[in-house]
Amino acid sequence: MVSSWRGGLGAWRLLMWLLLLTAWETESSPVHYSVSEEAKHGTFVGRIVQDLGLELEELVPRLFRMASKSSGDLLEINLQNGILFVNSRIDREELCGRSLECSIHLEVIVERPLQVFHVQVEVKDINDNLPVFRREQKVLISESAPLESQFPLEGAFDADIGENSVLTYKLSLNEYFTLKTITKNDKSILPELVLRKSLDREETPELNVLLTALDGGKPELTGSIHIKITILDVNDNAPEFDKLGYKVVLFENVPNDTRVIQLNASDLDEGLNSEITYGIRMILPASEKCMFSIDPKTGEIRIYGKLDFEENNEYEIHVNAIDKGIPSMAGYCTVLVEVLDLNDNTPKIMVTSLSLPVREDAQVGTVIALVSVSDSDSGANGQVTCSLTPHVPFKLVSTFKNYYSLVLDSALDRESVANYELVVTAQDGGSPSLSATASVSMEVADVNDNAPAFAQPEYTVFVKENNPPGCHIFTVSAQDADAQENALVSYSLVERRVGERALSSYVSVHAESGKVYALQPLDHEELELLQFQVSARDAGVPSLGSNVTLQVFVLDENDNAPALLPPGAGGRGRAASQPVARSVGAGHVVAKVRAVDADSGYNAWLSYELQLEAGGARSPFRVGLYTGEISTTRALDEADAPRQRLLVLVKDHGEPALAATATVLLSLMDSGQVPKTPSQMSAGAMGAELALVDVNVYLIIAICAVSSLLVLTLLLYTALRCSAPPTEGVCGPEKPTLVCSSAVGSWSCSKQRRQKVCSGEGPPKTDLMAFSPSLPQSRKDCFNLSSEPRQPNPDWRYSASLRAGMHSSVHLEEAGILRAGPGGPDQQWPTVSSATPEPEAGEVSPPVGAGVNSNSWTFKYGPGNPKQSGPGELPDKFIIPGSPAIISIRQEPTNSQIDKSDFITFGKKEETKKKKKKKKGNKTQDKKEKGNSTTDNSDQ
């Protein structure tokens, strides 16, 4: 294959061939062939045997052979036809590289004769190599590069030569760069990138463009390469947070170093331009304490202190993020921290305007103090309820939100409680709830509302007579429940007259100590009982006082000797003569010594003793030990001295005993010499004896008289209160009158009967009345005037206690209603009854309006009258008005042989309370007392 020469190259080659031909001619010029590279195996190159002028037959004999220095076995000769052909692949670029000329030099050798032939085979270039870029290309361009900036690129390499190696370039489509080529001096072409649009690394950090190289061969071959364009960063972006604002909710009192939030800021730049440092610009509200800290590298915010909702419930943290670029740029955000309230504050109590002390007479509703409560928490945690310690006479009244008034709720009594320790409790509504307490000591000021009080209303004091003047006999003491001046008690006498003298002449009382002094000696014979009152008054304003009664009994001392009474004897020096007949027998009373002692008791109990004269004979007379009667011990005879002088010693029983001596002169006379009027003398003596009664007899009579007088007075009072006058004779029965009385429901019907008590001597007495109820068989009998009353049994039993004397207080009270019959008017009668302190005892009283002789007694039980007799029932006992006795009614069934329904027994109230085991002994005593008094019914 022969290639054509172009232009000057062809001419140059032609010149070379001419020169070779010339040389061949002179010394065997070489044979020239041409072959294209990459020719297939067996490709014809030339008829080398023919062209060398050799014959095919002589090739073997002449040892035809071919040698090559560098081409190896690329070409081979076929000895049969003498053709030079391609034996293996021929690569021009491998053989010759970038050389314009490339040929294979062959030496053909034959022997016989030896000849050497030179053959040159030109290897022609074909476009068999693609343009090749040597390495990957990276272009670094700053994002701040101006437009029209040029960035040279490395061109491609094509191993071919000539037109096959002429390259053109093409750039892939993009919006930032265009391609520009530059032809250098060696005719090589280099591509360049031209910037047509501003770069932004944050938007497009890198670009990849495709650069394609095309050669000039037919067909043209191309080669391409990806060019990585890296946009270099410029610190043109500030750091940016994910959000401009963050909100975090935390509870107060969270532990220190608690994480609040993790901030994250990003910088679109890179390198140092993107390295961010976090910081806190400010925290609002401003505070001297820094409550938060931030990690400069991670942006993590943590608690640096103690969050307190009450101090601040919201914080605004301004955070900045700064990069490390030059110049550095910063980004900002705000973190809003909301603090939630916890119930961590106890309520506070403030007590103001405390008015102390509080007067005990303060009115209910008086404001004592103002109480205010507060709680720093919010919501339910700050809602406070206030309460007061129970069981105190105070209460809290709400006046406004969290404001209360402490007012008096009930009356005060300083004497009961003088001081109150009030506890005000404030409790919030949190969970768990917190509470606080405040103690208020409330002192009650005393008001003089208590009079001095004595332990008992009356004191009995016993003082011996002849006491020394000014001696202390008793001490009264009154206690005042008030305090201070209101409790200062002073004592004084309630002045009155004792006989002809003032009380203050007898006794005095110390104003402060209450000691009672006797100002003078007391004389039992002059004053046995001194009764007076001592007043105790306090120092309050107004002053209050009370009195106590002192009964000072003057005890008798044996300070009075017996005093002789006429006509028995005078003093020791006086004597009276008494004639005595000698004919009197033994035991005859001849005289009597009379003496009295102003003392009392044993001191006034006198005894008589006959004193014998010294050396005298035995006297025929003796004296009664307690009577003072002088009687003979034997019959008198002539041997007895006609004049007998007797000394009688009268002695009391006091300690020490006091005595007096009476001298009795007896004249012994014969019967004819005795005075003729012994009866008159005896009558005179008897009259004097009746006038001068023994003291003991007086006492007994006085006691009996007082008791009888009291009983008579009470019964007469009861009789005077009755309106119906008595119409019957002495101990005579009264015509029965039918009265239907409800009488507290005790009887449905009763028959009146007046019964009188006969004492056996003198006129009958009507001061005791009893009744015997008779129960009718039907209601008709209640109005049947012809029905006969049942006669009571005359067996009255009168106890000794009733004989001793009856005394009681008589009072009027409302009794039952006396009914005239069905449909009739009701009349309420006042009744007379005796009060009894025993709650189980009853009372019985006749209707006053019915008259003294009425037998419609009303039976009432004790206070409240809890027990009422049913229809047809009788009370078992009742009380006589004006008497401490109880009347017992015993009623046997109607079929009993002995009718005892009218038996009435009198006895003491206390006897009804005795135990059953003592009743047998009481019955024996009652039998003994039966003979002492008897009563007869006037209606028999």
Side-chain angles (χ1 to χ4, degrees), residues 836-843 860-867 879 913:
T836 173
E838 287 81 8
E840 68 276 1
E843 299 178 359
K860 298 177 66 177
Y861 283 87
N865 301 326
K867 181 178 179 182
I879 304 168
K913 298 181 181 179

Side-chain angles (χ1 to χ4, degrees), residues 356-416:
L356 292 179
V358 182
R359 289 175 57 90
E360 64 175 325
D361 61 349
Q363 298 295 323
V364 174
T366 302
V367 177
I368 307 302
L370 299 179
V371 180
S372 62
V373 295
S374 62
D375 195 318
S376 301
D377 296 323
S378 62
N381 298 332
Q383 294 178 358
V384 183
T385 57
C386 201
S387 61
L388 193 64
T389 305
H391 311 301
V392 292
F394 302 93
K395 65 178 180 179
L396 287 175
V397 177
S398 177
T399 57
F400 191 65
K401 181 181 180 181
N402 293 340
Y403 285 88
Y404 298 85
S405 294
L406 180 63
V407 300
L408 185 62
D409 189 36
S410 59
L412 298 176
D413 186 6
R414 191 207 64 83
E415 290 69 38
S416 299

Side-chain angles (χ1 to χ4, degrees), residues 805-820:
M806 304 177 183
H807 59 281
S808 176
S809 62
V810 180
H811 61 277
L812 293 178
E813 63 180 20
E814 293 297 325
I817 298 176
L818 186 65
R819 300 183 181 275

Side-chain angles (χ1 to χ4, degrees), residues 754-814:
R754 190 180 66 185
Q755 299 172 351
K756 295 188 177 181
V757 180
C758 299
S759 61
E761 295 181 359
K765 299 179 181 180
T766 60
D767 55 354
L768 282 178
M769 289 186 294
F771 67 94
S772 57
S774 176
L775 301 177
Q777 299 299 324
S778 64
R779 186 174 181 85
K780 295 180 180 180
D781 295 338
C782 189
F783 304 98
N784 188 3
L785 299 177
S786 62
S787 60
E788 291 297 331
R790 214 165 70 188
Q791 297 299 325
N793 193 303
D795 186 8
W796 289 76
R797 289 171 173 82
Y798 198 89
S799 65
S801 62
L802 190 59
R803 293 196 310 271
M806 304 177 183
H807 59 281
S808 176
S809 62
V810 180
H811 61 277
L812 293 178
E813 63 180 20
E814 293 297 325

Side-chain angles (χ1 to χ4, degrees), residues 14-49:
L14 181 59
L15 180 60
M16 292 296 295
W17 280 108
L18 290 176
L19 291 176
L20 288 173
L21 183 59
T22 302
W24 174 261
E25 291 179 352
T26 56
E27 28 181 279
S28 299
S29 299
V31 179
H32 293 274
Y33 296 102
S34 64
V35 65
S36 297
E37 62 176 337
E38 303 295 336
K40 295 182 180 180
H41 175 73
T43 300
F44 174 80
V45 177
R47 296 181 181 274
I48 189 171
V49 174

